[in-house]
């Protein structure tokens, strides 16, 4: 059953020993949302399978107590935070639980006792409205966490809406946190040499498709697919797909610029549609999404590229051409 912010809070008051469960490789949006709720209502922040580098720094700097790989059966109730599919919880068995999330895909809500879903740019924004509905104060630690969650989940405001900026302003006013503090925290995040190598390898393996002035880049690496796809966008691609393989599973990380989204590319819907064809899991946002399926990685990558080309061709009324990075360089040199 879907509830609003006030009802979500009121229902949680009926439970004791609550576990706020974050998805695998938890990001600052998940961590800070769980932390804010645990501070206001009480309970434990749980990590299904670790967290990313910025979230790790956030946990250390704010002194957030977390439990790694918790057993849901040890708790009275589970609040699944910033998570849309069971695969993101490593197929962990849940009995009594609710969901608070902002992603397009909402598969986990089907068996939830209740859920709160909003089409916001981050889960933090939903949590902020819960805290305001219950009249809870926002202290500095919570404020820093929430701002970091919003900044990272919106790609440093690339995918932000007017409501996003309004919420950021309110959090700054309520908590007394300066925006510069959040930037300093993120700047202190150490760079992983393995990630840098993966990004360079992804760039060297790029295949390009072109629809008028839109470039669709695809590549593959052994790890850090999300970072690699983001970097391909930063260096010139309009849409990027990067595949990684884990056992029999293929994982595709996808990113898109706002111009591509405005042209009709909705990566969250695209990933969900393709994942359904393989009985896998996929979804996310219009500009950032992912997929996990048991299939050949190249086959899935090709399908992502082809579907995106079709969308852009319809939008522009043009035909795409496949090219390599070398071909594009030669073409530019000839000009």
């Amino acid at each position: 059953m879907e509830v609003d912010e006030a009802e979500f809070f009121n229902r949680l008051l009926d439970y004791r020993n609550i576990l706020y469960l974050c998805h695998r490789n938890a990001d600052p949006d998940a961590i800070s949302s769980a932390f804010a709720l645990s501070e206001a209502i009480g309970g434990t922040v749980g990590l299904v399978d670790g967290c990313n580098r910025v979230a790790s720094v956030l946990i250390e700097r704010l002194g957030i107590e977390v439990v790694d790989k918790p057993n849901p059966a040890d708790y009275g109730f589970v609040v699944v935070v910033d998570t849309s599919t069971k695969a993101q919880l490593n197929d962990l068995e849940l009995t009594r639980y609710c969901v608070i999330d902002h992603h397009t895909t909402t598969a986990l809500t089907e068996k939830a006792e209740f859920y709160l879903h909003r089409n916001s740019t981050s889960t933090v924004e939903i949590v902020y409205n819960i805290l305001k509905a219950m009249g809870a104060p926002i202290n500095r630690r919570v404020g820093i966490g929430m701002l970091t969650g919003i900044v990272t989940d919106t790609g440093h405001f690339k995918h932000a809406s007017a409501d996003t900026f309004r919420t950021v302003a309110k959090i700054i006013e309520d908590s007394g946190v300066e925006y510069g503090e959040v930037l300093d925290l993120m700047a202190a995040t150490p760079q992983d040499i393995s990630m840098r190598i993966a990004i360079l390898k992804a760039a060297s393996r790029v295949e390009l498709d072109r629809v008028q002035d839109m470039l669709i880049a695809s590549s593959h690496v052994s790890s850090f697919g999300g970072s690699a796809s983001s970097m391909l966008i930063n260096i010139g691609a309009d849409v990027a797909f990067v595949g990684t393989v884990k056992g029999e599973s293929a994982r595709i990380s996808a990113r898109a610029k706002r111009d591509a989204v405005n042209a009709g590319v909705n990566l969250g819907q695209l990933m969900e549609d393709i994942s359904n064809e393989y009985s896998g899991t996929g979804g996310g946002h219009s500009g950032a999404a992912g997929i996990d399926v048991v299939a050949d990685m190249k086959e899935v990558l090709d399908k992502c590229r082809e579907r995106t080309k079709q969308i852009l061709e319809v939008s522009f009324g043009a035909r795409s051409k496949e090219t390599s990075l070398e071909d594009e360089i030669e073409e530019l040199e000839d000009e």
Side-chain angles (χ1 to χ4, degrees):
M1 178 178 67
E2 186 169 11
V3 298
D4 61 17
E5 287 77 5
E7 182 65 14
F8 188 89
F9 161 64
N10 287 329
R11 283 177 174 267
L12 287 185
L13 295 179
D14 295 333
Y15 301 98
R16 297 292 180 271
N17 192 22
I18 299 173
L19 172 67
Y20 301 95
L21 191 62
C22 303
H23 56 77
R24 65 188 177 199
N25 194 33
D27 57 16
D29 186 33
I31 293 293
S32 56
S33 294
F35 173 55
L37 289 171
S38 68
E39 286 286 287
I41 302 172
T44 302
V45 177
L47 303 181
V48 167
D49 191 0
C51 60
N52 68 19
R53 292 174 302 113
V54 180
S56 179
V57 171
L58 192 66
I59 289 171
E60 181 180 355
R61 291 290 183 88
L62 300 184
I64 301 173
E65 295 184 8
V66 300
V67 175
D68 291 314
K69 295 181 171 63
N71 181 359
D74 295 337
Y75 298 85
F77 192 65
V78 176
V79 178
V80 180
V81 180
D82 190 41
T83 308
S84 59
T85 65
K86 194 174 180 180
Q88 292 177 295
L89 299 177
N90 289 348
D91 294 316
L92 193 68
E93 286 301 320
L94 300 173
T95 51
R96 305 185 67 193
Y97 73 96
C98 71
V99 177
I100 177 170
D101 187 40
H102 71 122
H103 294 95
T104 303
T105 305
T106 57
L108 269 175
T109 62
E110 295 175 2
K111 295 183 179 180
E113 295 196 9
F114 58 94
Y115 67 92
L116 173 56
H117 180 270
R118 293 285 184 266
N119 292 319
S120 59
T121 57
S122 67
T123 299
V124 162
E125 294 163 66
I126 309 173
V127 171
Y128 174 79
N129 288 328
I130 293 174
L131 299 186
K132 298 309 292 183
M134 60 187 286
I138 299 177
N139 60 40
R140 287 186 55 81
R141 291 169 68 221
V142 170
I144 290 174
M146 296 181 87
L147 290 173
T148 305
I150 292 176
V151 172
T152 53
D153 230 46
T154 59
H156 290 253
F157 299 115
K158 289 180 182 178
H159 306 291
S161 66
D163 286 337
T164 307
F165 287 106
R166 277 190 281 267
T167 301
V168 167
K170 291 174 183 176
I171 293 174
I172 290 174
E173 291 175 354
D174 293 346
S175 65
V177 173
E178 294 183 9
Y179 178 59
E181 296 179 65
V182 175
L183 297 182
D184 290 343
L185 184 149
M186 291 190 293
T189 303
Q191 292 294 314
D192 190 307
I193 184 66
S194 298
M195 181 187 72
R196 290 157 57 195
I197 292 172
I199 288 172
L200 291 172
K201 285 184 175 180
S204 70
R205 298 167 178 167
V206 162
E207 292 184 58
L208 290 175
D209 292 288
R210 180 174 175 178
V211 180
Q212 290 198 4
D213 289 336
M214 287 277 179
L215 293 178
I216 306 166
S218 63
S219 186
H220 60 94
V221 289
S222 58
S223 59
F224 298 103
S227 298
S229 57
S230 295
M231 187 55 63
L232 291 179
I233 292 294
N234 291 338
I235 63 176
D238 295 285
V239 184
F241 299 100
V242 176
T244 58
V245 175
K246 186 176 182 181
E248 296 181 350
S249 298
R251 178 176 298 176
I252 310 296
S253 297
R255 301 290 186 271
K257 287 184 177 177
R258 183 167 296 278
D259 285 347
V261 172
N262 291 339
V265 175
N266 184 330
L267 293 178
Q269 190 61 57
L270 181 68
M271 296 289 97
E272 183 177 358
D273 291 343
I274 293 176
S275 70
N276 290 337
E277 297 176 20
Y278 295 93
S279 298
T281 58
H285 313 292
S286 56
I291 186 174
D292 284 280
V293 294
V294 177
D296 177 72
M297 181 194 68
K298 187 179 185 306
E299 175 185 317
V300 182
L301 265 180
D302 289 345
K303 188 166 291 190
C304 291
R305 290 168 54 192
E306 287 301 318
R307 298 284 176 85
T308 304
K309 285 160 57 177
Q310 291 169 9
I311 292 169
L312 292 176
E313 285 170 357
V314 169
S315 177
F316 294 124
R319 295 193 63 182
S320 65
K321 66 175 182 177
E322 186 172 334
T323 182
S324 66
L325 185 60
E326 291 79 8
D327 291 337
E328 285 294 319
I329 292 173
E330 289 178 7
E331 183 178 323
L332 289 172
E333 287 177 344
D334 291 340
E335 293 176 354

